[in-house]
Amino acid sequence: MSILSLSAVSSLFMVLCGLWSFIKYHKHLLNSLLSLEFMMLGVFWLLSMQTSSVGNEIYFGLFFLTLAACEGALGLSLLIYVVRSHGNDLFMSLSLLEC
């Protein structure tokens, strides 16, 4: 196995582990956000390995990483809002009628 195929398999494994943790541990909002960020990291790793073999396409990877950071900041701000308004981040305590 070459290094490129090994990194592709490891990044797909990261995405699958993130998806598994998103499905398995969806009790808290923080666990869901962390598993989504882990999936984004796996996709970024796959993207960076594939574009590095094509040529000098680092700008697309930086754009993807910027969007992932903005998504993480938005998720953390929503987490802070939910904790301040409801007292915890449990999905069972959130209700559409309270909004």
Side-chain angles (χ1 to χ4, degrees):
M1 263 172 91
S2 69
I3 294 285
L4 188 62
S5 64
L6 185 64
S7 67
V9 169
S10 65
S11 65
L12 288 175
F13 182 71
M14 285 174 65
V15 171
L16 289 176
C17 285
L19 184 65
W20 179 76
S21 67
F22 184 72
I23 293 170
K24 180 86 172 146
Y25 303 111
H26 63 276
K27 188 176 181 181
H28 293 276
L29 181 61
L30 183 61
N31 288 343
S32 299
L33 290 174
L34 284 175
S35 61
L36 285 174
E37 286 296 321
F38 191 67
M39 285 192 298
M40 291 296 284
L41 185 64
V43 170
F44 175 69
W45 182 257
L46 180 66
L47 180 74
S48 65
M49 287 296 122
Q50 294 299 321
T51 57
S52 68
S53 65
V54 173
N56 198 6
E57 293 289 330
I58 194 153
Y59 296 115
F60 186 69
L62 288 176
F63 180 71
F64 182 79
L65 192 60
T66 303
L67 288 179
C70 292
E71 179 255 339
L74 181 66
L76 285 177
S77 65
L78 286 174
L79 177 70
I80 290 170
Y81 175 73
V82 166
V83 168
R84 285 186 180 175
S85 65
H86 291 81
N88 57 16
D89 67 336
L90 291 173
F91 279 123
M92 292 184 337
S93 67
L94 299 178
S95 174
L96 290 176
L97 298 175
E98 291 180 8
C99 294

